[in-house]
Amino acid sequence: MEQKPKITVVGSINMDLVTITSQVPKTGETLFGDQFYMNPGGKGANQAVAAARLGGRVKLIGCVGNDSFGKDILQHLQEQGVDVSNVEPVTHMTATASIIVANQDNSIIVVPGANNNVTAAFVESKRDIIADSDILILQLEIPLEGVQKAIEIAKENGVKVILNPAPIQNLPSQVIQDVDYITPNEHEYLLLKEESNEETFAEKLIITKGSKGVSIVEEGKEIIIPAYKMNVVDTTGAGDSFNGGLAIALSKGLDLKDACKYGNAVAALSTTKLGAQTGMPTSEEVESFIVNQGRLD
Ligand code: ATP
Ligand code: RIB
């Protein structure tokens, strides 16, 4: 029987507070919105759910507050098949993300709260979990020292690392050198390029380009994998779906191009429902989507 890939995610766990509107207020302006809802989110949790729905054995390492958001999120993650035994409740409040969805795009403010407890010491206490993984996925919604410690442990144990550098911040060049794949969106890539020597990341760079798809570099040449044409409802979490799909495909042994094609299909499906995690597909849904579309790129 095929072994399920062991994916570990060290990252953020947020409650998303989402307002749907046709117009975004300017500073000092008040507008009426169309809808409001709350949904579990956070880049770490989203990527964990994406990989779990696709059949991974997923462990999430992170922190939530000892509050009602934290309790609801933990129950939800368990229902999604994510192992949360390494998510610890702390005295800080569960992180929130205030999200405005307008004109098929979104803007987000995150208040990190409990995510700030994912320090280097906390990650060190989870060393054995990271060491026992096929792939480690990281983002930048927890302290950078926690990210660096996770990379260090993964490297020492031959575990492949995907870094989704979101939200973008200045990164020590060692971080870029030590990860195996780095997955900025276009905006993050522009800032990353300003700070880093391009040679450091050329072949490990995977740029997600929204409705334009995904670009990678192969033998020094850029290759574009075009996005699928979808009836887009909400792109929140599309990047997270891509990263979850990429991790699953790489851990099953697909080469980078085919793994990105798979992630591209996972992300496309995720845009068809409201909410970061709601539209994330199962592996069966991805496979039948790819067959129905009649292409893998
Ligand atoms: P988010 O922060 O909202 O999760 P992101 O900005 O990190 O997303 P994007 O580059 O916008 O990431 O999108 C990630 C991937 O999702 C794209 O590379 C593509 O595969 C898919 N995708 C995003 N938008 C669309 C779209 N409008 N149509 C089809 N696929 C899309
Ligand atoms: O990538 C989408 C996620 O970014 C949302 O779920 C929100 O929590 C923010 O962290």
Side-chain angles (χ1 to χ4, degrees):
M1 206 172 80
E2 195 190 351
Q3 278 284 348
K4 286 181 164 192
K6 286 191 276 186
I7 312 280
T8 298
V9 182
V10 178
S12 56
I13 304 168
N14 306 344
M15 182 59 90
D16 289 353
L17 313 173
V18 187
T19 301
I20 318 277
T21 178
S22 49
Q23 237 188 314
V24 181
K26 300 184 201 73
T27 306
E29 189 181 24
T30 301
L31 295 173
F32 288 109
D34 300 328
Q35 274 182 65
F36 174 83
Y37 65 91
M38 297 197 293
N39 249 353
K43 293 181 191 299
N46 292 345
Q47 294 178 18
V49 169
R53 290 232 180 113
L54 295 167
R57 262 186 295 167
V58 182
K59 293 189 178 181
L60 176 59
I61 295 175
C63 292
V64 290
N66 202 354
D67 48 30
S68 61
F69 280 173
K71 290 187 184 93
D72 289 352
I73 291 172
L74 285 185
Q75 189 187 336
H76 162 83
L77 288 171
Q78 276 172 305
E79 286 164 7
Q80 300 305 309
V82 176
D83 178 339
V84 292
S85 52
N86 293 286
V87 175
E88 312 243 334
V90 297
T91 49
H92 292 108
M93 63 176 277
T94 299
T96 54
S98 300
I99 304 182
I100 295 181
V101 177
N103 311 315
Q104 294 194 351
D105 215 334
N106 61 63
S107 33
I108 305 179
I109 298 180
V110 175
V111 178
N115 289 334
N116 277 343
N117 290 56
V118 189
T119 58
F122 179 80
V123 174
E124 176 61 37
S125 74
K126 308 292 180 190
R127 169 176 285 273
D128 294 350
I129 311 291
I130 297 172
D132 184 40
S133 319
D134 295 320
I135 294 217
L136 170 70
I137 321 181
L138 299 163
Q139 323 74 32
L140 299 175
E141 283 186 334
I142 57 168
L144 184 59
E145 62 166 54
V147 172
Q148 288 174 298
K149 176 55 77 177
I151 294 171
E152 181 192 308
I153 297 169
K155 268 205 83 162
E156 281 168 16
N157 292 281
V159 176
K160 292 250 179 287
V161 182
I162 298 173
L163 173 63
N164 174 222
I168 192 67
Q169 57 174 273
N170 285 348
L171 288 175
S173 54
Q174 193 66 44
V175 166
I176 296 167
Q177 266 171 46
D178 286 349
V179 300
D180 297 276
Y181 305 99
I182 184 159
T183 59
N185 65 17
E186 282 181 300
H187 157 76
E188 290 148 4
Y189 172 61
L190 287 180
L191 296 173
L192 206 60
K193 207 167 64 164
E194 276 173 24
E195 303 297 331
S196 324
N197 174 354
E198 278 196 62
E199 281 168 20
T200 331
F201 51 66
E203 296 282 324
K204 60 181 73 173
L205 185 65
I206 301 166
I207 308 173
T208 61
K209 298 187 161 184
S211 59
K212 287 178 281 176
V214 181
S215 93
I216 56 172
V217 180
E218 212 177 54
E219 291 169 5
K221 279 202 346 226
E222 188 192 27
I223 296 180
I224 301 267
I225 298 157
Y228 289 94
K229 295 229 176 322
M230 308 301 291
N231 289 324
V232 173
V233 174
D234 180 9
T235 61
T236 311
D240 298 328
S241 303
F242 174 81
N243 281 280
L246 177 71
I248 289 288
L250 288 171
S251 63
K252 287 187 170 170
L254 268 66
D255 69 18
L256 180 60
K257 193 151 108 193
D258 285 344
C260 286
K261 289 177 178 178
Y262 187 81
N264 191 39
V266 174
L269 285 165
S270 78
T271 65
T272 59
K273 301 223 173 90
L274 262 186
Q277 295 174 15
T278 323
M280 287 175 175
T282 61
S283 55
E284 292 77 18
E285 286 167 338
V286 180
E287 272 140 38
S288 68
F289 173 73
I290 289 170
V291 170
N292 289 336
Q293 292 286 320
R295 70 167 179 119
L296 187 62
D297 62 357

